[in-house]
């Protein structure tokens, strides 16, 4: 990565509906990354915005009985208000209906048209209204839209349109992706794009006749047409930083360090956008990073299921910083994660209210009682102190490393570990007894060390919880504003004698209601679904009862997607004798599975084995570890053997 600057973007969000946690997540993630990079002293530019043209917005406007511009104007404020409330520190917010963006889109189109990168042709094919994409007959999946998660009916369309000569860049793009492993991340998403590029790339239809859709940017060379929404939207990443307008600014920030996206918009970002940039003669972004989806419980979030989580309601109830913390700590970047109110409350109470809250209140109380609310001089130090100091400094280094490598959840886990370490240190040293017994030198050491660790922890957590950590740092008598990273990687910065002020409780415990409304609703829906389908997620007991008696239809069998998978890594799940955590590859996609085979297989003998997995099982958490599918094994009692493949087959092959 170019360490002289950091330019990060989120997708620009459609203004057809109000923001949900998926949108909030990407924006918070970008904010956290931007904040860490500012903290380590890199010039940083963080861009977000809204995608205001296209069919989705036009349709929402029609439904709401307003113009498309009114639809955009009324919805954009919901995003802007939410970002303000979520303490998002974006440097710019671009709307695709702004003249500064439209002018650049038109300049690019004219330029590409003049260079014969865009041409007009007759189109005859299939169109998905929802995805706003054209498909050839062979692209279709059983006659329906092939986009993952869509599968809707498509319309036959015959019309003149303008096309971008995307196909001519196919070989170049494949080579570029292979030569630049950081370009598409995580690795399994890179493989997904390479898989897509194994098929012949067609030219991209970049216009829509106004007779069908007029909510878009006019083509500068033919005003019977507007620009295809993606050809307009993707350009925001360069129009906002001065492309063809402010060359100095543009040179300063381009290429982007990160385009953060959700996994559903991978093709547009890793195929359309790079080829567009290539045609414009511009450098490629350094990394396009696709994160997974937030599921609600185990279900996809959708309006029709009525399970869309509104971040505004959630933060009104539980606060902004805990929400940010939960999202960052709960999702392993790249994989899907499950959002439930129960999981939020559990993590909040354990890590924030109990561990961090306890440590803070113990420290403040003792400083108040024994030290006149001032941080004392440390007395002599021993092994315990050396250990605590090392654990804190290591966690700070790990956090920065995890930010660089997109493992934020692991960095936060390391910081949470340090907090627990301080609480253990308190238990061991019993400072409350030292105070009572008048052993002030020893007490001074314990309290100074706890305060010093808290200084480091609060600084490292500041990008994730800016408001709460600012309060905490003020209470510790530290300087207001962004912490200085150099100081966070050093020991001994806290000045003895600094006055501290007792805080209100930073993270009051959430009393668990018997049935937290949402989760109860989800559980009921889940139960009902299981009863309706009679199916896969029925309890083990039900399955056992059915063994040997129930006959199923072939169509029932086809609901189970069995695939070959290659085991990449295996390790024991802490605290569970029988469980192994496996990283497997299924046809280019990397997944994590939890399997109860630890009594029969050692972790080190598994990598390289080709096994069979149920690939379409809904994700579940087993002992708190995300499991995305299930392995097949034969056995009885404690004896289990994996089902493997006779002969050689690539991973991801369907088992039927
Ligand atoms: N307008 C396009 C993006 C253009 S970028 C040049 C778009 N907008 S969107 O509003 O539909 O989606 C924006 C982002 O939200 C996408 O990255 C998408 O993956 C993400 N999410 C939508 N639902 C999500 C979850 N349930 N979980 C996490 N993110 C998800 O696509």
């Amino acid at each position: 990565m170019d360490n002289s600057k950091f330019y990060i973007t989120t997708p620009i969000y459609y203004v057809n509906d109000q923001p949900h946690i998926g949108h909030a997540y990407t924006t918070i993630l970008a904010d956290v990354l931007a904040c860490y990079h500012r903290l380590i002293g890199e010039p940083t530019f963080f861009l977000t915005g809204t995608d205001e043209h296209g069919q989705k917005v036009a349709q929402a406007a029609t439904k709401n009985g307003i113009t498309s511009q009114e639809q955009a104007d009324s919805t954009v404020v919901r995003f802007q208000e939410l970002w303000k409330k979520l303490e998002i520190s974006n440097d710019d917010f671009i709307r695709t209906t702004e003249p500064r963006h439209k002018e650049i889109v038109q300049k690019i189109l004219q330029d590409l048209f003049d260079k014969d990168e865009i041409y007009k042709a007759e189109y005859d094919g299939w169109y998905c209204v929802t995805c706003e994409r054209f498909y050839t007959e062979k692209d279709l999946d059983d006659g329906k839209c092939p986009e993952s998660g869509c599968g809707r009916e498509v319309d036959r369309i015959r019309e003149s349109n303008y096309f971008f000569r995307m196909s001519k860049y196919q070989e170049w793009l494949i080579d570029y992706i292979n030569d630049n492993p950081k370009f598409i991340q995580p690795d399994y998403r890179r493989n997904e794009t390479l898989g897509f590029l194994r098929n012949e790339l067609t030219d991209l239809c970049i216009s829509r006749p106004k007779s069908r859709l007029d909510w878009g940017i006019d083509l500068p060379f033919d005003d019977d047409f507007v620009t295809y929404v993606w050809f307009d939207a993707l350009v925001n990443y360069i129009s906002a930083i001065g492309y063809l307008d402010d060359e100095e600014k543009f040179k300063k920030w381009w290429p982007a360090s990160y385009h953060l996206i959700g996994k559903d918009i991978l093709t547009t970002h890793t195929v359309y956008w790079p080829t567009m940039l290539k045609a414009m003669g511009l450098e490629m972004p350094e990394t396009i990073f696709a994160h997974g989806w937030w599921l609600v419980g185990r279900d996809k979030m959708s309006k029709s299921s009525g399970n869309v989580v509104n971040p505004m309601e959630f933060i009104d109830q539980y606060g902004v910083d805990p929400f940010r913390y939960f999202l960052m700590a709960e999702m392993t970047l790249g994989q899907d994660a499950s959002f439930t109110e129960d999981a939020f409350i559990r993590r909040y109470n354990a890590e924030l209210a109990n561990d961090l809250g306890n440590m803070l209140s113990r420290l403040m109380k003792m400083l108040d009682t024994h030290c006149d609310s001032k941080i004392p001089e440390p007395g002599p130090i021993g092994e315990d102190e050396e250990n605590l100091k090392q654990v804190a400094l290591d966690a700070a280094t790990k956090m920065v490393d995890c930010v660089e490598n997109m493992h934020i959840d692991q960095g936060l886990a390391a910081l949470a570990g340090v907090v627990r370490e301080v609480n253990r240190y308190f238990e061991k040293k019993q400072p409350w007894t030292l105070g009572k017994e008048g052993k002030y030198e020893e007490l001074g050491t314990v309290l100074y060390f706890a305060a010093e660790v808290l200084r480091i922890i609060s600084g490292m957590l500041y990008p994730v919880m800016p408001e709460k950590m600012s309060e905490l740092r003020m209470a510790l008598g530290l300087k207001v504003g962004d912490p200085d990273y150099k100081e966070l990687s050093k020991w001994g910065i806290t000045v003895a004698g600094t006055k501290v002020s007792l805080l209100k409780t930073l993270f009051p415990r959430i009393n668990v209601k018997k049935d937290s409304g949402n989760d109860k609703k989800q559980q009921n829906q889940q139960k009902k679904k299981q009863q309706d389908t009679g199916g896969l997620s029925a309890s083990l007991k039900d399955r056992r009862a059915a063994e040997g008696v129930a006959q199923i239809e072939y169509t029932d069998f086809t609901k189970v997607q069995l695939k070959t998978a290659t085991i990449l890594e295996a390790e024991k799940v802490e605290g569970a004798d029988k469980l192994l955590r496996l990283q497997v590859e299924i046809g280019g996609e990397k997944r994590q599975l939890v399997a109860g085979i630890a009594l029969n297989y050692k972790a080190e003998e598994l990598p390289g084995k080709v096994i069979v997995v149920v690939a379409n099982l809904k994700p579940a958490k087993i002992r708190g570890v995300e499991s995305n599918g299930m392995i097949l094994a034969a056995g009885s009692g404690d004896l289990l053997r994996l089902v493997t493949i006779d002969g050689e087959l690539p991973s991801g092959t369907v088992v039927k």
Side-chain angles (χ1 to χ4, degrees):
M1 186 164 298
D2 172 4
N3 281 326
S4 56
K5 57 100 181 132
F6 186 72
Y7 172 33
I8 187 160
T9 66
T10 72
I12 48 172
Y13 305 106
Y14 286 128
V15 285
N16 55 336
D17 213 343
Q18 54 177 339
H20 57 60
I21 54 160
H23 305 134
Y25 173 71
T26 324
T27 313
I28 293 170
L29 175 62
D31 187 58
V32 167
L33 292 169
C35 189
Y36 275 114
H37 281 266
R38 285 188 205 111
L39 213 84
I40 56 178
E42 267 181 80
T44 295
F45 195 85
F46 165 20
L47 176 69
T48 189
T50 39
D51 189 355
E52 306 195 350
H53 292 121
Q55 203 142 345
K56 281 193 178 71
V57 178
Q59 277 172 343
T62 310
K63 197 170 136 221
N64 296 329
I66 51 180
T67 65
S68 297
Q69 189 63 58
E70 283 165 349
Q71 170 71 32
D73 291 345
S74 62
T75 311
V76 73
V77 287
R78 288 174 180 251
F79 282 92
Q80 288 166 331
E81 274 166 13
L82 181 62
W83 300 159
K84 210 163 158 200
K85 200 148 181 183
L86 281 171
E87 302 166 81
I88 301 299
S89 63
N90 54 305
D91 296 288
D92 198 352
F93 185 100
I94 187 146
R95 301 181 58 183
T96 54
T97 49
E98 287 176 86
R100 65 165 171 154
H101 172 75
K102 294 203 287 193
E103 277 160 23
I104 302 306
V105 171
Q106 287 191 321
K107 275 190 192 171
I108 292 170
L109 283 164
Q110 187 64 56
D111 188 40
L112 294 181
F113 184 68
D114 294 344
K115 291 200 292 197
D116 193 36
E117 293 279 353
I118 290 175
Y119 63 94
K120 191 174 188 183
E122 192 71 23
Y123 182 82
D124 183 2
W126 299 93
Y127 185 69
C128 173
V129 176
T130 311
C131 298
E132 298 186 49
R133 283 177 62 179
F134 286 100
Y135 299 101
T136 60
E137 184 85 39
K138 71 172 173 27
D139 292 334
L140 300 181
D141 190 359
D142 232 359
K144 307 258 170 60
C145 175
E147 200 59 24
S148 75
C150 181
R152 292 184 178 80
E153 295 290 338
V154 284
D155 300 328
R156 182 72 185 257
I157 282 196
R158 199 171 282 139
E159 65 190 21
S160 282
N161 260 316
Y162 286 87
F163 291 83
F164 163 52
R165 295 192 193 278
M166 186 164 73
S167 61
K168 76 178 196 195
Y169 295 110
Q170 178 159 12
E171 286 313 311
W172 164 81
L173 183 57
I174 293 172
D175 289 345
Y176 188 85
I177 294 172
N178 281 322
D179 292 346
N180 295 276
K182 286 260 166 262
F183 181 48
I184 304 172
Q185 282 290 311
D187 291 350
Y188 45 92
R189 296 290 169 217
R190 176 174 66 242
N191 291 338
E192 204 175 308
T193 299
L194 286 170
F196 177 85
L197 288 168
R198 260 179 233 128
N199 301 317
E200 200 185 326
L201 200 59
T202 50
D203 287 345
L204 181 67
C205 178
I206 54 110
S207 64
R208 299 293 181 261
K210 278 190 184 164
S211 51
R212 196 149 59 77
L213 172 77
D214 68 353
W215 184 233
I217 300 175
D218 282 1
L219 291 188
F221 41 83
D222 190 339
D223 56 17
D224 284 341
F225 291 86
V226 293
T227 316
Y228 168 46
V229 69
W230 278 99
F231 213 88
D232 156 0
L234 288 160
V235 169
N236 91 88
Y237 300 136
I238 52 177
S239 64
I241 51 162
Y243 181 56
L244 299 181
D245 178 45
D246 181 344
E247 281 308 298
E248 205 178 313
K249 184 174 179 189
F250 183 66
K251 244 171 80 192
K252 178 165 180 196
W253 298 114
W254 191 255
S257 315
Y258 274 105
H259 288 320
L260 292 182
I261 59 167
K263 64 180 182 181
D264 54 317
I265 52 175
L266 186 72
T267 310
T268 48
H269 279 80
T270 59
V271 178
Y272 298 4
W273 183 225
T275 52
M276 286 165 67
L277 287 167
K278 179 76 180 158
M280 288 180 234
L282 292 179
E283 269 182 84
M284 296 301 121
E286 284 166 39
T287 299
I288 298 160
F289 192 99
H291 62 71
W293 273 43
W294 281 98
L295 307 174
V296 176
R298 293 174 174 201
D299 297 326
K300 200 172 160 188
M301 201 163 58
S302 75
K303 252 180 148 181
S304 52
S305 314
N307 64 355
V308 177
V309 182
N310 178 340
M312 270 300 190
E313 284 170 14
F314 205 85
I315 55 186
D316 281 345
Q317 188 166 358
Y318 295 116
V320 169
D321 282 8
F323 178 68
R324 289 173 58 115
Y325 179 81
F326 176 76
L327 293 185
M328 293 301 109
E330 189 76 6
M331 184 177 260
T332 298
L333 265 164
Q335 294 172 18
D336 289 347
S338 162
F339 188 96
T340 67
E341 196 174 2
D342 275 356
F344 169 84
I345 293 173
R346 236 178 290 129
R347 190 183 275 278
Y348 172 95
N349 277 344
E351 290 171 13
L352 299 180
N354 284 2
D355 292 346
L356 186 55
N358 262 345
M359 170 191 170
L360 179 63
S361 73
R362 279 166 154 181
L363 174 66
M364 287 301 185
K365 218 172 271 164
M366 285 183 286
L367 288 174
D368 182 44
T369 315
H370 300 294
C371 310
D372 189 24
S373 289
K374 286 191 190 135
I375 295 179
E377 275 301 338
I381 63 168
E383 209 179 306
D384 292 326
E385 285 73 27
E386 287 295 353
N387 172 51
L388 191 60
K389 167 181 160 184
Q390 208 46 52
V391 170
L393 291 175
D394 286 352
T397 312
K398 176 157 186 179
M399 186 74 218
V400 173
D401 197 49
C402 286
V403 168
E404 286 286 338
N405 294 297
M406 294 297 234
H407 298 305
I408 292 180
D409 58 328
Q410 291 176 20
L412 291 176
L415 294 176
V418 182
V419 174
R420 282 194 296 273
E421 195 66 34
V422 177
N423 281 325
R424 274 197 290 271
Y425 175 68
F426 278 159
E427 293 302 326
K428 186 165 179 194
K429 297 287 168 180
Q430 300 278 318
W432 34 90
T433 315
L434 296 176
K436 268 190 221 141
E437 292 172 353
K439 295 180 176 165
Y440 291 118
E441 270 209 334
E442 285 171 59
L443 179 69
T445 302
V446 176
L447 299 187
Y448 182 89
F449 267 69
E452 187 60 354
V453 173
L454 207 46
R455 174 186 68 80
I456 294 174
I457 298 280
S458 61
M460 294 312 296
L461 282 176
Y462 174 82
V464 179
M465 296 189 282
E467 200 179 302
K468 293 285 182 192
M469 291 306 109
S470 294
E471 279 180 51
L472 174 46
R473 293 175 68 76
M474 261 162 68
L476 286 174
L478 297 164
K479 83 172 170 26
V480 186
D482 287 1
D484 176 352
Y485 173 69
K486 278 186 231 87
E487 292 192 345
L488 299 178
S489 51
K490 281 192 200 131
W491 188 262
I493 299 292
T494 296
V495 180
T498 304
K499 190 94 183 145
V500 300
S501 51
L502 255 184
L503 279 171
K504 65 177 193 305
T505 309
L506 263 193
F507 300 106
R509 203 181 153 75
I510 302 171
N511 290 321
V512 188
K513 297 165 263 168
K514 272 235 162 76
D515 303 326
S516 79
N518 279 346
D519 284 354
K520 188 78 187 166
K521 207 160 73 197
Q522 279 157 23
Q523 281 163 13
N524 286 340
Q525 279 171 358
Q526 187 76 22
K527 237 188 237 157
K528 179 156 187 320
K529 228 187 243 162
Q530 288 174 10
Q531 282 159 3
D532 289 347
T533 57
L536 294 174
S537 38
S539 70
L540 194 61
K541 205 166 134 214
D542 295 341
R543 276 195 278 151
R544 293 240 166 98
E547 255 172 34
V549 282
Q551 291 196 323
I552 57 167
E553 296 289 339
Y554 178 68
T555 49
D556 288 329
F557 172 68
T558 58
K559 287 182 196 158
V560 186
Q561 196 183 52
L562 298 173
K563 285 190 175 177
T564 60
T566 306
I567 301 181
L568 304 174
E569 290 165 38
E571 60 173 352
K572 292 207 72 158
V573 173
E574 227 175 89
D577 293 345
K578 294 190 178 174
L579 298 183
L580 288 182
R581 179 208 307 259
L582 307 179
Q583 306 296 338
V584 302
E585 198 218 88
I586 308 177
E589 186 194 349
K590 200 171 153 207
R591 288 211 206 166
Q592 173 170 290
L593 309 178
V594 176
I597 54 171
L599 298 181
N600 296 272
Y601 291 90
K602 288 204 184 76
E604 57 274 21
E605 65 182 296
L606 290 171
K609 274 194 192 302
V610 178
I611 55 167
V612 178
V613 299
V614 180
N616 61 337
L617 197 67
K618 286 184 180 166
K621 278 221 160 148
I622 302 175
R623 292 287 185 102
V625 183
E626 181 91 30
S627 185
N628 246 312
M630 186 175 87
I631 61 155
L632 292 194
S636 78
D638 272 341
L639 178 67
L640 273 177
R641 299 317 295 165
L642 287 168
V643 173
T644 53
I645 294 295
D646 176 23
E648 272 192 23
L649 274 177
S651 82
T653 308
V654 173
V655 178
K656 48 192 174 181

